[in-house]
Amino acid sequence: MPALPDRVALITGAGSGIGRATALLFAQEGATVVAADKIGERAEETARLVTEDGGRAIGVTADVSVAADVTAMVEAAVGSFGRVDVLVNNAGLSVGDTILDFDEAAWDLNLDVVLKSVYLCSRAVLPGMLERKRGAICNISSVNGIFAVGESAYAAAKAGMISLTANMANHFGKDGVRVNCVAPGTIRTPIWSERLKKDPNVFDTLKVWYPLGRVGEPEDVANACLFLCSDAAAWITGVTLPVDGGLTTGNFRMNTALQGDDA
Ligand code: NAP
């Protein structure tokens, strides 16, 4: 039995990385997919990959930080498939590190693409979900939204997603709509391409911080989204699930430093 039978799933930022992996997995699990991305060719490419894999999908061009684009994106989904049952708010970017590193425009860009987009996209699909008394929304936050690991504006926006998740879950649960969040650690996707140019071994450098001994793959996040959007999670709403190889459990380095080699 597939996990998402007869569901129409709209995935933002689906032209790359986690979004593309989620689109492919959701389609394999029975969903009809609307793959949206700022770059239309990438959205179309994801839709083509889904179709080649035996699934049903369309690609849609949309900048999720622009209200008119979001309205057109949801209209395209509803026009093609009649409704949206599942929304994955995945599109994202990160600009700057400490608050002295970036200007006001960069702050706004982080907040608009990461956080305002969740408001815009959720607001656009919720009326239909509430009418049908069925819907699932999964927001892709980050471990940066849970504890301080840099990228201040991005982190603030990702923390905001966690709060918005809990509020939406509380507001709309009684009407059959569940809203959950995943908080990935380091995932091997193109979002790391600039960092990889500076340090081709960055994933090996980072993996020592992960109790499970590796960085994540896009499919690790897609699997968590699939569970949270499926009926297997029918009594789960408002949670933020770290998908982080144990990173946010902490680490023993302070203890090791205190106790020396005996630790
Ligand atoms: P990715 O491969 O760069 O994919 C993100 C996609 O979103 C790209 O196609 C990107 O297009 C698109 N996008 C950016 N701004 C957009 C906008 N305004 N409207 C529509 N689409 C837009 O990165 P990813 O790693 O899969 O990231 C997916 C999500 O996971 C993001 O929210 C990210 O913050 C989160 N995340 C990633 C990691 C990680 O280590 N990879 C860790 C924690 C959380 P462009 O390439 O043109 O920008």
Side-chain angles (χ1 to χ4, degrees), residues 16 18 37 42 62-64 90 141 154 158 184-185 187 189 192:
S16 180
I18 292 167
D37 204 282
R42 284 203 213 146
D63 180 334
V64 290
N90 167 74
S141 178
Y154 171 80
K158 290 294 190 186
I187 309 294
T189 72
W192 285 87

Side-chain angles (χ1 to χ4, degrees), residues 139-159:
N139 298 322
I140 312 296
S141 178
S142 168
V143 293
N144 295 55
I146 296 175
F147 68 168
V149 277
E151 302 170 276
S152 305
Y154 171 80
K158 290 294 190 186

Side-chain angles (χ1 to χ4, degrees), residues 90-111:
N90 167 74
L93 50 66
S94 172
V95 183
D97 189 11
T98 85
I99 64 165
L100 299 179
D101 291 337
F102 53 81
D103 59 14
E104 192 179 342
W107 170 268
D108 288 345
L109 181 64
N110 279 291
L111 270 286

Side-chain angles (χ1 to χ4, degrees), residues 25-26 138 182 219-229 241-243:
L25 180 64
F26 278 25
C138 185
V182 297
E219 292 73 18
D220 291 314
V221 183
N223 280 319
C225 289
L226 177 68
F227 167 65
L228 289 171
C229 293
L241 176 66
V243 182

Side-chain angles (χ1 to χ4, degrees), residues 139-195:
N139 298 322
I140 312 296
S141 178
S142 168
V143 293
N144 295 55
I146 296 175
F147 68 168
V149 277
E151 302 170 276
S152 305
Y154 171 80
K158 290 294 190 186
M161 283 176 91
I162 293 170
S163 172
L164 193 51
T165 298
N167 275 279
M168 290 199 296
N170 260 275
H171 279 132
F172 305 117
K174 69 177 181 334
D175 296 311
V177 177
R178 297 182 302 102
V179 187
N180 289 298
C181 191
V182 297
T186 304
I187 309 294
R188 197 190 305 268
T189 72
I191 212 169
W192 285 87
S193 54
E194 287 305 311
R195 195 82 64 92

Side-chain angles (χ1 to χ4, degrees), residues 247-261:
L247 182 71
T248 48
T249 59
N251 67 73
F252 291 123
R253 291 200 166 199
M254 190 168 80
N255 195 37
T256 308
L258 282 173
Q259 299 188 27
D261 291 337

